[in-house]
Amino acid sequence: MPTAYPIASPFHAVARPARALMAGVALLALAGCATQAPTDESGRQAGQWERQQASVEAFDSWTMAGKAGLRTPDENTSANLDWNQTPYYFRMLISGPFGGGRSVLEGREGRFSLTTSDGRFEAETPEALMEEQLGWSLPVRAMPDWVRGLPGGDSSYQLETDALGFPSHLEQDGWQIDYRDWEEVEGMWLPRRLVMNIDEIRITLVVNQWRARSDQE
């Protein structure tokens, strides 16, 4: 009588490599989840701020267009802001109610001027100039750093970051700055909305456009 040999099931032959393939796919998926950096709804990722900080510090010549809101115990108003900034010169065009119609604040080599409908005025600091002529003031000398998410000057500060490592709250020179929104500009993330508070003054700045400024402009 011939010897009977077991017949290999074709299902077993297929099942083993299929299981192995599925296990490999699962491992790859897990590895992808493990290496992907946390991301928020805007597209920012953890670690990006630390990697781009040197680029933000070097981004010192730019133009910015936006809207600034001013709130004090006596008024709640806003104005449009067009700002040109370089390491040696700045020009802020403030137009609208709290700009007194149209005001141009300029600074170059330690000299500051403010031009309004009443004429052209000068003072030793831009803050004093605005206070004298407009009755309120922006922290002009620190703002070029603050609006980029950086501490200003050499004075001490306290900085808090969000879950992704981006600045969320900065305290410096009596001001408290909260960073509420960000946008990607020139390959890096810059603040799109920030709120600055000191005493009973609250300034909200919403940036509509950032643009790099060339040396020829």
Side-chain angles (χ1 to χ4, degrees), residues 20-37:
L21 178 61
M22 292 177 64
V25 170
L27 287 173
L28 287 173
L30 289 172
C33 294
T35 57
Q36 185 177 3

Side-chain angles (χ1 to χ4, degrees), residues 66-139:
K67 191 169 185 177
L70 173 69
R71 178 179 295 177
T72 72
D74 301 320
E75 62 180 324
N76 184 8
T77 186
S78 64
N80 295 318
L81 179 65
D82 289 292
W83 183 353
N84 290 273
Q85 181 73 40
T86 77
Y88 311 105
Y89 169 78
F90 76 86
R91 180 180 185 271
M92 286 185 183
L93 170 61
I94 306 167
S95 56
F98 84 58
R102 180 186 173 94
S103 302
V104 179
L105 179 66
E106 294 180 274
R108 186 194 303 272
E109 298 176 350
R111 299 174 59 185
F112 305 99
S113 67
L114 178 65
T115 303
T116 69
S117 57
D118 296 324
R120 186 175 183 274
F121 307 90
E122 295 186 356
E124 293 184 357
T125 69
E127 292 84 1
L129 190 56
M130 295 182 74
E131 190 67 42
E132 291 170 4
Q133 301 303 322
L134 303 178
W136 55 271
S137 176
L138 295 171

